[in-house]
Amino acid sequence: MGDYEKFISLINSKLGIDLALYKEAQMKRRLTSLRSKRRYNDFESYFRALDKDDELLKEFVDRITINVSEFYRNPKRWDVLRDTILPMITKENSSITIWSAACSTGEEPYTLAMLMKEYFPQVSAKIIATDIDINALSKAKEGVYNEQALKDLPTPLKKKYFTFENMLYKVSPSLKSGIIFKQHNLLKDAYPKDVHLIVCRNVLIYFTDTAKNEIYQNFSKSLHKDGVLFVGSTEQIFNPDRYDFKLLDTFFYGKQN
């Protein structure tokens, strides 16, 4: 077994994160860069250091989990969600469950909460927000963001749901109260059931085809009979019927019955 292969086996044993399911070239390049930055010549010595140093381990986890997010990222897609997808879902359901999978630092679930409060106040919405990275979840729960994160958010929503203090934007308690944040590994843990909307964007591009196939199968099983999956702009599903999906709009897939 090579140095890198042994390393990812040890990481799986320690953290329960199987790096073999991520695209090897990208992940190995990212970790080699981080290892070299910390002046370790091989993965064996790097793992020994990670095993003893919590700060080094935290940095490692931050690097392998890709935490890039913004409010209202790709605004036109959110407009489709607001104007077409959510009206379709809520027409038959006065109470819905929304899952923001791989939610990173929380911009996505807070955007979902704003949409529901603003445009579907008559609907009871349970929002589950999950991520594998406990540090990202801590930031999400805190709900404090810089100007860049809010650059695409409509101004009325920014004024209504945030307070501006010390050059930072703080999420209002009314948004926080409707969201359940918890740790979840898409490649290992059980999925929620009867979910009406799953939002998982710009995450699966980092996984192998085998891992993506498993995740899409699990998403399909997780969805309510008339549920919808909303994916990222680089994650078009080329054979949606393979997972009992049908294309509803660009990057939106409905469950087929």
Side-chain angles (χ1 to χ4, degrees), residues 59-234:
E59 179 187 53
F60 169 78
V61 172
D62 284 343
R63 181 58 64 94
I64 65 172
T65 53
I66 297 80
N67 295 319
V68 179
S69 188
E70 296 167 354
F71 289 88
Y72 242 76
R73 190 175 183 181
N74 308 121
K76 290 182 179 179
R77 294 297 92 205
W78 288 95
D79 291 344
V80 171
L81 179 65
R82 179 195 65 206
D83 298 336
T84 304
I85 304 300
L86 282 171
M88 180 185 72
I89 293 173
T90 57
K91 182 179 180 181
E92 303 295 332
N93 301 283
S94 59
S95 177
I96 67 172
T97 298
I98 299 173
W99 179 18
S100 174
C103 72
S104 186
T105 47
E107 291 90 335
E108 184 175 273
Y110 286 128
T111 300
L112 289 163
M114 280 185 275
L115 283 183
M116 294 308 299
K117 284 181 176 294
E118 284 295 299
Y119 303 104
F120 306 92
Q122 77 284 3
V123 178
S124 174
K126 174 185 177 183
I127 299 175
I128 305 167
T130 66
D131 202 274
I132 194 172
D133 185 351
I134 198 70
N135 299 312
L137 286 173
S138 294
K139 293 176 185 177
K141 291 175 184 177
E142 188 180 7
V144 178
Y145 300 95
N146 60 27
E147 178 77 40
Q148 178 65 20
L150 282 75
K151 68 182 178 65
D152 288 328
L153 187 66
T155 300
L157 297 182
K158 187 187 298 185
K159 289 181 177 179
K160 185 171 182 177
Y161 292 106
F162 293 84
T163 55
F164 186 62
E165 297 177 21
N166 301 319
M167 305 303 293
L168 294 169
Y169 289 86
K170 297 184 177 181
V171 173
S172 72
S174 66
L175 281 189
K176 288 186 178 183
S177 64
I179 303 173
I180 301 166
F181 289 102
K182 61 183 181 180
Q183 191 174 26
H184 182 272
N185 184 341
L186 286 169
L187 296 167
K188 181 181 176 183
D189 298 330
Y191 284 37
K193 299 295 183 185
D194 286 326
V195 179
H196 296 84
L197 173 66
I198 297 175
V199 183
C200 186
R201 308 177 71 218
N202 308 305
V203 175
L204 300 189
I205 55 171
Y206 299 102
F207 292 116
T208 64
D209 288 341
T210 299
K212 281 192 282 191
N213 179 63
E214 181 181 343
I215 291 170
Y216 285 138
Q217 294 284 8
N218 285 331
F219 277 156
S220 181
K221 293 173 186 175
S222 178
L223 282 171
H224 186 268
K225 62 179 177 66
D226 54 2
V228 175
L229 171 64
F230 178 18
V231 300
S233 57
T234 58

